[in-house]
Amino acid sequence: MPALENHIIIRILTRIFDLIVLNILWLVCSVPIVTIGASTTALYSVMLKVVAGEESYIMKDFFKAFRVSFWQSTAVWLILLAAGAALGADIVIFQRASGIARAGLAVFYIITFFYAIEVIFVFPLIAKFENTTGNMLKNAILIPASRLPFAAAVLVMTGTCLVLTFLNYTTLMVGAAVWGIIGVAVLAYVNSIFIRKIIEPYM
C-alpha cells in the first residue's frame, strides 16, 4: 500500500512539474506577442496528447508543434488580434453613444461572444487537424457548436478563471503569479479534456 501511495504521489508531482515546464515554454515563446498563436497551438498539441495518455517528451513535442504550425497559427493570431482590436474600438465608441445608437452594443456583445469561441477553439483545432486557414476559422465555430455541452464546459471554465482573476487588485496580483507559474497550462489541461471530446467524432 505505501508503494502504491508513493507511486501516486510521484505521478502527481511529475504532472505538476510538466505543467510548470509547459507554462514556462508557453510564456517564453509568447513574449514577442506575434507568436502567441503558435505558442498556444504548441501547448494544446502537447496537452491533447497528455489527456489521451500519448505524451512522450513534452519539450520536444512542444517545439515540434510550434515549428510545424508556426505560419498558420501566426496568421490566425494576427487576424484575431486585428479583429479584436476593431471590435474593442467599436464597443468603446458605442458605449459613449447615446439614444438608439447605444442599442447597437447588444450586437457587438453577441459578436464578442462568438469571437471568444473563435479564440479559445481555433488553436486546439490547428494543433490536431490539417486544413486551410479559412476552414480552421470556420470550424472553430461549427465544431464546438456541434458538441455544445463540452464546448459550454470549456467556455465556463475559461470565463470563470478570467473573471476570478480580474475581480479586484488582489485577485489580479495573485492571478498574475498563478498564470505566470502554472495557470495557463492547468487551464489548457482541463480544457483539453473537454476539447478532446469535442473533436473525437472528427478524428
Side-chain angles (χ1 to χ4, degrees), residues 30 32-41 69-87 115 118-119 122-123 126 133 137:
S30 297
I33 297 178
V34 294
T35 58
I36 289 177
S39 185
T40 303
T41 298
S69 69
F70 182 82
W71 293 111
Q72 185 173 43
S73 296
T74 301
V76 168
W77 167 244
L78 293 177
I79 291 169
L80 292 176
L81 195 61
L87 188 58
Y115 175 80
E118 189 75 55
V119 171
V122 70
F123 298 111
I126 295 174
T133 298
L137 290 167

Side-chain angles (χ1 to χ4, degrees), residues 3-200:
L4 178 61
E5 290 176 355
N6 289 337
H7 178 69
I8 293 171
I9 292 171
I10 290 171
R11 286 192 63 184
I12 291 172
L13 292 175
T14 301
R15 178 66 72 225
I16 291 172
F17 177 77
D18 288 346
L19 291 174
I20 292 173
V21 169
L22 284 168
N23 205 92
I24 293 170
L25 289 175
W26 181 86
L27 281 174
V28 170
C29 293
S30 297
V31 167
I33 297 178
V34 294
T35 58
I36 289 177
S39 185
T40 303
T41 298
L43 178 64
Y44 272 105
S45 178
V46 175
M47 286 304 181
L48 287 168
K49 290 180 181 178
V50 169
V51 299
E54 301 169 355
E55 78 269 27
S56 52
Y57 300 102
I58 59 171
M59 290 184 67
K60 181 180 177 181
D61 288 350
F62 181 94
F63 285 115
K64 180 182 177 182
F66 184 88
R67 185 179 68 255
V68 169
S69 69
F70 182 82
W71 293 111
Q72 185 173 43
S73 296
T74 301
V76 168
W77 167 244
L78 293 177
I79 291 169
L80 292 176
L81 195 61
L87 188 58
D90 287 334
I91 289 174
V92 170
I93 292 170
F94 274 85
Q95 281 179 333
R96 293 176 178 175
S98 58
I100 194 167
R102 194 174 175 82
L105 266 177
V107 175
F108 284 104
Y109 285 143
I110 293 171
I111 295 172
T112 300
F113 174 74
F114 285 102
Y115 175 80
I117 294 174
E118 189 75 55
V119 171
I120 292 170
F121 289 104
V122 70
F123 298 111
L125 291 184
I126 295 174
K128 209 64 186 173
F129 301 105
E130 289 184 16
N131 212 327
T132 64
T133 298
N135 282 337
M136 285 295 186
L137 290 167
K138 179 179 68 177
N139 290 339
I141 298 291
L142 297 179
I143 290 178
S146 70
R147 305 278 283 172
L148 211 50
F150 299 115
V154 174
L155 292 172
V156 169
M157 179 69 64
T158 305
T160 301
C161 289
L162 292 175
V163 169
L164 290 176
T165 298
F166 290 96
L167 277 178
N168 53 53
Y169 180 78
T170 302
T171 59
L172 184 60
M173 292 299 101
V174 173
V178 173
W179 289 115
I181 297 170
I182 197 172
V184 177
V186 169
L187 180 60
Y189 177 79
V190 176
N191 280 350
S192 293
I193 295 171
F194 297 102
I195 290 171
R196 183 167 175 79
K197 295 290 185 182
I198 293 171
I199 64 177
E200 222 165 22

